[in-house]
Amino acid sequence: MTRPTVLFVCVHNAGRSQMAAGYLSALAGDRVDVRSAGSMPGDQLNPVAVAAMAEEGIDIAGAQPRLLDDASVQEADVVITMGCGDACPYYPGKRYEDWELDDPAGQPIETVRGVRDDIRRRVEALIAEIAPA
């Protein structure tokens, strides 16, 4: 069986999608190919999102926001959007999910922890479906 590729997409690729990618990489290991991108990527990751993930022992500080392109979507088996709306190209045969998550940008760490924990629950459910241990 080939490894599924999961693409997480949000607007800035600086918070939610990076936290989700960090969790999926940490929890699924090499069973899943993990990517993330943004429709309008920021200059850097949200430092509060980085700190919230560090509390979980997951280092996302080295990640860089990436621009979403058609090739990324075409290569993915599962595309998970987080508030990027219509900016995400649609290809038949892909599995699309939209995760309604609060935007952690500009929020205090207490709020970002809630978003982080919601993302973890969703990532764990995704792994159970597409790449069980």
Side-chain angles (χ1 to χ4, degrees):
M1 188 177 135
T2 59
R3 293 189 320 167
T5 297
V6 176
L7 173 65
F8 293 105
V9 182
C10 66
V11 177
H12 301 300
N13 191 216
R16 293 166 290 187
S17 55
Q18 293 284 1
M19 289 193 286
Y23 268 131
L24 187 55
S25 294
L27 299 173
D30 59 6
R31 298 195 314 273
V32 179
D33 188 13
V34 183
R35 308 202 177 152
S36 71
S39 53
M40 295 186 305
D43 298 326
Q44 62 185 27
L45 264 58
N46 175 344
V48 183
V50 172
M53 291 302 286
E55 293 177 352
E56 294 281 283
I58 298 172
D59 181 7
I60 62 170
Q64 284 296 316
R66 278 186 59 236
L67 178 63
L68 175 67
D69 58 22
D70 279 3
S72 299
V73 178
Q74 285 177 308
E75 292 165 7
D77 299 299
V78 180
V79 179
I80 296 178
T81 57
M82 303 168 175
C84 76
D86 299 332
C88 193
Y90 179 83
Y91 291 99
K94 307 288 178 196
R95 173 176 165 179
Y96 287 87
E97 284 185 28
D98 186 55
W99 290 1
E100 288 190 22
L101 298 162
D102 292 332
D103 188 347
Q107 298 297 318
I109 190 143
E110 295 78 16
T111 302
V112 176
R113 284 183 186 124
V115 176
R116 175 199 68 197
D117 295 346
D118 188 5
I119 289 170
R120 180 178 182 130
R121 284 189 292 275
R122 292 168 188 255
V123 166
E124 287 171 340
L126 180 68
I127 293 168
E129 276 185 56
I130 67 167

